[in-house]
Amino acid sequence: MILGFLRAVGGLLNATCGNATELIIAIFALCQNKIDVVKYSLLGSILSNLLLVLGTSLFCGGLGTLGKQQKYDRRQADVNMLLLFLGLLCQLLPLLFRVAGGYTTVTTVAALQLSRASSIVMLVAYVVYIVFQLWTHRQLFEADEEAGEGQEEETPVIGFWSGFVWLVGMTIVIALLSEYVVATIEDASNSWGLSVSFISIILLPIVGNAAEHAGAIIFAFKDKLDISLGVALGSSCQISMFVIPVCVIVAWIAGIDMDLNFNTVETGCLAVAIITTAFTLQDGTSNYLKGLILLLCYVVIGACFFVTTTPLSKIILYCHLGILGIPSRVR
């Protein structure tokens, strides 16, 4: 029981320190009023964890255990997927609200108020999830303890405090570099000929979560798929249910209008990613084909944002201005 509890705490600490990059970059971007960069980077982190990290883990784990299916406790995955669906609902409603009501000032204010209320609900849900995971139902996250009793115990390379100091130290270094990263995203977009959405949603999360990706793949190769799922799904839940609503509330305090409307294509990609992942994990078994399907979904989504040269919000705005008969020079 103690070992399982420590694994749950370790997974939560790993996800928290791993997502510190996204939170720090988001805060710096908010200070510069780059709301699109905030939304794109956080959305990209969720997509990266659900499709790239989890897909690579399932694929490599399946190749490492050819001839048999890897098994994991689906109860932990079910809890995480429920939270992701709640986060998707909170992000979907402001979009539907604005689409149904039209892109008017009244609708924009109402969607902003709805987003702020939803953010508070998401934070409450995440706090309850932490209590659920670490105290009231922590046995759900100790499923692999009995299965690992017959395996040879691994000797830790470094101690707890050494690892903690390294995590904190690297987080500080990332904080120092985040301001430079945020300031150069638009310049990189112009010089490379790539859209800001592709850089923020695809390239930035891949680089920022490289260590997290490597850890999940290594655990999958060692047939410890529960840990890989904890890294990928736990990180996704933390971004969706904690980092995103915190950014909305911080922007609210700072007088910046940031809502949960991630635009149609972005929200659609997120919905497809969550639904595909839920179907992939529904039976508690894994093989390399499931991982490959998730990876291919990520490739298609990446191609979608690669060919995007203008933010969708501006395209929609231009369309409405054209319908209203406003000349292009005013736009």
Side-chain angles (χ1 to χ4, degrees):
M1 181 176 295
I2 297 178
L3 179 60
F5 176 74
L6 292 177
R7 284 173 177 169
V9 174
L12 179 62
L13 182 62
N14 180 53
T16 302
C17 293
N19 292 332
T21 307
E22 284 76 14
L23 182 58
I24 294 171
I25 291 178
I27 296 300
F28 276 114
L30 278 178
C31 293
Q32 300 179 22
N33 203 26
K34 296 182 178 180
I35 300 177
D36 287 338
V37 174
V38 175
K39 292 182 178 181
Y40 287 152
S41 62
L42 296 179
L43 173 67
S45 296
I46 299 176
L47 295 176
S48 174
N49 280 290
L50 288 181
L51 299 179
L52 181 62
V53 178
L54 184 58
T56 306
S57 299
L58 298 182
F59 181 75
C60 294
L63 292 180
T65 57
L66 285 175
K68 69 173 185 179
Q69 283 188 324
Q70 287 184 302
K71 295 183 179 181
Y72 53 87
D73 188 358
R74 54 171 293 187
R75 294 178 297 177
Q76 177 182 356
D78 289 343
V79 173
N80 287 313
M81 295 311 301
L82 284 174
L83 285 174
L84 288 173
F85 275 115
L86 175 60
L88 176 62
L89 175 65
C90 293
Q91 296 172 34
L92 188 61
L93 288 179
L95 172 63
L96 297 178
F97 195 84
R98 294 190 63 177
V99 171
Y103 287 80
T104 62
T105 304
V106 176
T107 306
T108 301
V109 173
L112 180 62
Q113 294 174 346
L114 175 61
S115 298
R116 291 169 175 173
S118 299
S119 297
I120 297 175
V121 172
M122 294 164 74
L123 287 176
V124 171
Y126 186 74
V127 171
V128 175
Y129 165 71
I130 296 300
V131 175
F132 181 89
Q133 179 182 9
L134 298 183
W135 285 283
T136 62
H137 288 73
R138 70 185 191 191
Q139 68 274 7
L140 298 181
F141 302 88
E142 300 170 357
D144 58 340
E145 182 176 358
E146 295 181 358
E149 290 180 351
Q151 299 178 0
E152 183 181 353
E153 185 177 354
E154 296 184 4
T155 304
V157 179
I158 58 176
F160 171 79
W161 289 110
S162 299
F164 182 78
V165 170
W166 272 104
L167 286 173
V168 173
M170 295 307 297
T171 301
I172 295 175
V173 173
I174 291 171
L176 297 175
L177 296 176
S178 295
E179 185 175 6
Y180 174 77
V181 171
V182 172
T184 56
I185 285 180
E186 294 180 354
D187 294 335
S189 174
N190 295 329
S191 61
W192 294 349
L194 299 174
S195 63
V196 174
S197 60
F198 179 78
I199 294 177
S200 302
I201 295 176
I202 304 300
L203 297 184
L204 193 60
I206 292 177
V207 177
N209 296 331
E212 206 170 28
H213 297 180
I217 294 171
I218 291 173
F219 285 125
F221 264 124
K222 294 181 178 181
D223 202 13
K224 297 181 179 180
L225 205 55
D226 285 306
I227 301 179
S228 297
L229 290 176
V231 171
L233 296 181
S235 181
S236 299
C237 285
Q238 190 172 76
I239 294 173
S240 177
M241 302 299 295
F242 177 74
V243 178
I244 290 179
V246 163
C247 289
V248 173
I249 293 177
V250 169
W252 184 11
I253 296 174
I256 301 174
D257 295 339
M258 175 181 174
D259 58 17
L260 294 175
N261 179 12
F262 282 66
N263 296 326
T264 307
V265 174
E266 289 83 351
T267 306
C269 291
L270 177 62
V272 170
I274 294 176
I275 294 174
T276 304
T277 304
F279 276 107
T280 302
L281 302 177
Q282 65 179 342
D283 61 350
T285 62
S286 173
N287 51 64
Y288 70 90
L289 180 60
K290 291 183 176 182
L292 180 62
I293 296 300
L294 293 180
L295 286 174
L296 294 179
C297 289
Y298 188 74
V299 171
V300 173
I301 291 176
C304 171
F305 292 110
F306 180 78
V307 300
T308 302
T309 56
T310 304
L312 185 63
S313 58
K314 292 184 179 180
I315 295 177
I316 296 176
L317 177 62
Y318 291 167
C319 291
H320 282 273
L321 291 176
I323 292 175
L324 294 175
I326 299 177
S328 60
R329 61 178 180 272
V330 178
R331 308 175 197 173

